[in-house]
Amino acid sequence: MSSSTVDPTLHPTTAAPAPGEPRSLRDAAVRWWADVKGGELGALPILIGMVIIVVVFQSQNDNFLTAGNFLNLVIQAAGIMTIAMGVVFVLLLGEIDLSVGFVSGVGGAIAALLTLPGGNWEFAGLPAIAVVLVVGLLIGTLNGLLFTKVGIPSFVVTLAGLLAWNGAVLVLIGDQGTVVIQSQTIIDLANGFISAAASWVLVAVGIGGYALNQLARRRTRTSKGLPVDPVSLLALRIGVLAVALIAAVWVMNEDRGVPYVVLMLAVLFVVGSWVLTRSRFGRHVMAIGGNIEAARRAGIPVDRVRIACFAIASMMATLGGVVLASRLTSVDTGAGGGTILLYSIAAAVIGGTSLFGGRGSIRAAVLGAIVIASIDNGLGLLGLASGTKFIITGLVLLAAVTVDSVARRNLAGSGRG
Amino acid sequence: MADAPERPPGSAAPVAPDATGAPAPAAGGAPAPAPGGSPFGGEPLLELRGVSKSFGAVQALYRVDLAVHAGEVLALVGDNGAGKSTLIKSIAGIHSIDEGEIRFAGKPVSIGGPKDAAQLGIEVVYQDLALADNLDVVQNMFLGREETSGPLRGLDETDMEQRARETLAGLSVTTIRSVRQTVAGLSGGQRQSVAVAKAVMWNSKVVILDEPTAALGVAQTRQVLDLVRRLAEKGLGVILISHNLHDVFEVADSVSVLRLGQDVARFTVADTTQAAVVEAITAGALDTVPGQLQEVSA
């Protein structure tokens, strides 16, 4: 049969090299640039956006780039970032969760009430957080069941949730108006810091783990005769990660140190990214967002995956609520309200998650939350009124979505969309 | 017609009427031979005998016989509404049949759902291909059947990529630049190739292709027809549904014609002409006229 003589690398005519003969870094750059021109922008717009934000705010106020402000900014972003990571799962399905704001309020309120000394329960910090997560899981499962089994559109289910959980926050906090958090564990989440030595050990572990992972992957691919990236590209990736991590940790250590919440976010980032890109579940989420009919015919348990995504979103929202409560060291009747919902969804979208499903990442939530927190923080430093803040944040969101839409059009134009 | 005997349940494919579209052979006594001149004698890989299916009052299929052998490309042609889709959905397990028998490799089987069909080695490539645009070629080929490894049960990407490459290479698909590019960036012919490769990767024995060239240009149609031929060369039974008789005559070994839910003719491509097939599609003799089943079945 003629097929047995075919070159197994499949691209006899194109630039792809035979195994063990890596492309150069220049090749990789050329390829990347072609992708960008074709509409695969990746994180490029957001990096350019960050540079603009930093330049503008630093020129207006010298405090923007100080270590202390960087740390503030990170802690301000933490709550939104946690919620946005969960929202990504729902957006990847092409659905929406409008209840995450007040669900986060419920999470914060429960954590505060459970740990009140002399209260009915008096939980320690960590068990209280565990209870909060279970509550989030149940709320999300309820959303998912109503959406998949009853067939109510996710917009309506979670809109009802937005109202109901707002009410729940008011009922929980009641006429006290404000509950001050008494658990030192919960307060330390956003206000406690890792020792400098421990932070450097963790940086080393992070960089080493990433490098080992990359090298191991490269080794398996080489052993199976699959094309691999050039060593120089590998080194560049590891180098960029190392520089970014070391710089961030060094700056934070210049001030108060690395807060525990950053450690938590790092773990969530690694676990969430692994789930989305390296697990069957994540692959199924992507497939459902890309073509639900294909997913169904492939035998993917579509409803179960969708319920799980809603459960993850609500669980991350309650955890985000605990982070927000920790930062303020109290929970009041306004918990979960204001800009939290819209900032969380905007963070995921600004970071490059599509509202139409199938495109997005945990990284998007992280980058988007940092952009939103930077704008919020920078405009605060400039002493602008919140009306102006909202207008500017709205314009940035619009710009991000415009870039995404234009990129998509290019993708379609180049026959790739 | 009314006194035409029922086909003996054990008989093979119906005898083709001659090219002028003469009435179907009323004399049921003559044992139906294997299609004349066809190299595919012996036991068919997949065989349908007297399959009927109705949806309420609508008789979608009426005593359809069909047989495809290993290494044979069988074209299934017919006008819109002739029952082609119902027939393949019955084989794929999406519809259950009301009457008749489906035999696989000589044994009667019951196909209760798509999983049963896949278990037997029957794969269908639907017209819409069912590919997720946002996933790459490998991810699409393994969708729903991903391989995992390691203590965390993570996806075994290298193994899947290697198998995807081997499958594509085995089908001589050389037009795909990288198996790691998303399907959104592929042309119609490349997408069809991916869908076919996805179908044959699982030790499938019968592949059913629904209008694989419908939306393709000349060069891409060429690619896909070559691919269909290679499937047969690899020893698979291929059922090709097409409206394009030119394509059918280029790749198929035999042609079954459906008309109003009945198989009105079976031709061997080498021994017939397009005009004869067209005649059968538009005016092939029916065993019964729809709506008069009661009177006829006596």
Side-chain angles (χ1 to χ4, degrees):
Chain A
M1 190 174 319
S2 63
S3 58
S4 58
T5 61
V6 168
D7 174 12
T9 60
L10 284 184
H11 5 47
T13 55
T14 53
E21 182 199 340
R23 292 177 294 263
S24 69
L25 198 55
R26 225 183 114 257
D27 268 358
V30 166
R31 210 179 229 226
W32 171 79
W33 183 239
D35 277 351
V36 169
K37 281 196 292 188
E40 297 268 8
L41 297 181
L44 187 64
I46 210 159
L47 290 178
I48 294 173
M50 275 309 294
V51 170
I52 295 172
I53 288 169
V54 168
V55 168
V56 168
F57 287 135
Q58 180 64 16
S59 66
Q60 299 294 312
N61 186 324
D62 289 343
N63 284 328
F64 186 73
L65 271 188
T66 57
N69 194 48
F70 177 74
L71 193 51
N72 284 342
L73 195 156
V74 169
I75 296 173
Q76 281 164 14
I80 301 273
M81 196 183 288
T82 313
I83 302 172
M85 284 180 181
V87 168
V88 164
F89 282 85
V90 172
L91 292 184
L92 279 174
L93 296 174
E95 303 295 336
I96 189 112
D97 189 341
L98 298 177
S99 68
V100 287
F102 285 114
V103 168
S104 81
V106 169
I110 293 178
L113 291 173
L114 283 181
T115 52
L116 272 190
N120 296 334
W121 303 282
E122 206 174 337
F123 273 55
L126 288 177
I129 292 177
V131 172
V132 165
L133 291 178
V134 171
V135 170
L137 195 72
L138 293 176
I139 293 173
T141 308
L142 177 69
N143 284 343
L145 285 172
L146 288 170
F147 165 58
T148 56
K149 301 299 180 191
V150 185
I152 311 170
S154 60
F155 183 90
V156 180
V157 170
T158 58
L159 184 64
L162 183 150
L163 291 168
W165 299 117
N166 186 8
V169 172
L170 294 177
V171 170
L172 283 171
I173 303 294
D175 27 63
Q176 306 156 61
T178 303
V179 178
V180 177
I181 293 180
Q182 306 287 341
S183 158
Q184 195 56 42
T185 316
I186 292 181
I187 291 175
D188 277 349
L189 189 58
N191 299 290
F193 300 90
I194 308 169
S195 74
S199 71
W200 289 117
V201 170
L202 290 170
V203 165
V205 168
I207 298 170
Y210 181 73
L212 282 179
N213 183 341
Q214 292 283 311
L215 288 172
R217 235 181 105 195
R218 186 188 164 81
R219 190 162 334 120
T220 15
R221 288 184 67 88
T222 315
S223 74
K224 299 212 173 183
L226 297 172
V228 289
D229 291 331
V231 181
S232 47
L233 184 60
L234 211 68
L236 183 71
R237 275 202 213 115
I238 297 170
V240 167
L241 177 87
V243 168
L245 263 186
I246 291 171
V249 169
W250 182 74
V251 169
M252 285 192 260
N253 279 336
E254 281 295 285
D255 199 63
R256 282 156 284 171
V258 178
Y260 285 106
V261 71
V262 167
L263 188 59
M264 180 194 91
L265 287 167
V267 171
L268 289 175
F269 172 76
V270 171
V271 172
S273 298
W274 186 87
V275 166
L276 269 188
T277 58
R278 298 259 172 272
S279 77
R280 294 191 74 185
F281 171 76
R283 181 63 42 81
H284 294 171
V285 172
M286 290 291 187
I288 290 171
N291 185 343
I292 190 166
E293 200 46 46
R296 230 178 235 129
R297 286 199 208 141
I300 292 170
V302 171
D303 281 357
R304 231 186 303 156
V305 172
R306 295 203 286 190
I307 292 169
C309 286
F310 277 93
I312 291 171
S314 292
M315 204 165 78
M316 294 294 278
T318 50
L319 183 60
V322 175
V323 172
L324 291 166
S326 167
R327 185 168 80 88
L328 300 172
T329 66
S330 71
V331 181
D332 62 23
T333 46
T339 55
I340 291 175
L341 164 67
L342 296 178
Y343 274 8
S344 308
I345 296 178
V349 173
I350 289 175
T353 303
S354 167
L355 285 167
F356 302 103
R359 263 158 39 105
S361 60
I362 298 294
R363 188 187 67 181
V366 173
L367 294 176
I370 289 175
V371 167
I372 287 202
S374 304
I375 294 169
D376 210 48
N377 173 294
L379 293 174
L381 285 183
L382 297 189
L384 292 176
S386 48
T388 323
K389 275 206 265 199
F390 290 163
I391 291 172
I392 293 177
T393 313
L395 291 176
V396 170
L397 176 61
L398 194 63
V401 179
T402 308
V403 168
D404 185 55
S405 298
V406 172
R408 260 171 183 278
R409 218 170 39 215
N410 282 355
L411 223 62
S414 61
R416 303 151 62 128
Chain B
M1 283 295 294
D3 58 348
E6 284 186 31
R7 270 186 208 113
S11 74
V15 181
D18 67 34
T20 58
S38 161
F40 306 104
E43 187 119 74
L45 195 51
L46 176 70
E47 188 179 11
L48 273 61
R49 292 184 182 173
V51 168
S52 296
K53 171 75 189 171
S54 58
F55 298 100
V58 180
Q59 187 80 33
L61 295 175
Y62 183 69
R63 291 184 192 159
V64 173
D65 295 342
L66 191 78
V68 62
H69 298 77
E72 177 183 18
V73 178
L74 169 71
L76 188 60
V77 299
D79 216 339
N80 291 333
K84 305 184 300 275
S85 298
T86 309
L87 188 63
I88 60 163
K89 283 180 178 164
S90 301
I91 299 172
I94 292 171
H95 297 325
S96 57
I97 57 174
D98 298 339
E99 257 179 67
E101 185 178 45
I102 299 178
R103 296 171 75 87
F104 192 83
K107 290 190 211 58
V109 291
S110 89
I111 298 177
K115 286 238 156 89
D116 292 349
Q119 206 83 50
L120 288 169
I122 300 171
E123 292 280 339
V124 184
V125 180
Y126 291 98
Q127 196 169 357
D128 64 5
L129 303 183
L131 299 174
D133 274 357
N134 58 329
L135 300 183
D136 67 31
V137 174
V138 180
Q139 293 170 345
N140 265 293
M141 286 174 70
F142 279 86
L143 194 59
R145 317 191 223 198
E146 296 87 358
E147 288 173 6
T148 57
S149 66
L152 292 173
R153 314 303 306 146
L155 295 171
D156 191 344
E157 294 288 352
T158 45
D159 199 53
M160 288 194 277
E161 180 169 338
Q162 195 179 28
R163 281 190 54 197
R165 282 166 175 280
E166 283 166 5
T167 306
L168 287 167
L171 294 171
S172 306
V173 175
T174 54
T175 55
I176 293 175
R177 178 172 64 98
S178 158
V179 291
R180 283 299 178 189
Q181 77 186 112
T182 58
V183 165
L186 299 181
S187 71
Q190 291 170 330
R191 294 165 71 96
Q192 190 76 47
S193 304
V194 172
V196 170
K198 177 183 175 184
V200 301
M201 189 155 56
W202 309 98
N203 288 325
S204 40
K205 301 191 177 67
V206 174
V207 175
I208 302 172
L209 302 165
D210 188 5
E211 294 281 4
T213 58
L216 301 184
V218 175
Q220 297 186 348
T221 298
R222 179 81 262 141
Q223 274 175 30
V224 172
L225 293 182
D226 288 346
L227 185 57
V228 170
R229 233 14 285 173
R230 278 195 293 273
L231 292 181
E233 283 164 16
K234 282 167 130 1
L236 280 77
V238 182
I239 300 178
L240 171 74
I241 292 165
S242 182
H243 271 112
N244 187 331
L245 287 185
H246 182 261
D247 292 354
V248 166
F249 272 73
E250 204 166 321
V251 293
D253 300 302
S254 41
V255 183
S256 270
V257 182
L258 279 186
R259 179 168 175 246
L260 299 174
Q262 300 170 36
D263 59 314
V264 293
R266 176 161 183 151
F267 300 99
T268 301
V269 165
D271 304 339
T272 190
T273 63
Q274 289 199 25
V277 175
V278 170
E279 177 85 43
I281 291 171
T282 54
L286 301 169
D287 287 350
T288 84
V289 176
Q292 299 178 359
L293 294 179
Q294 281 73 19
E295 291 90 310
V296 174
S297 58

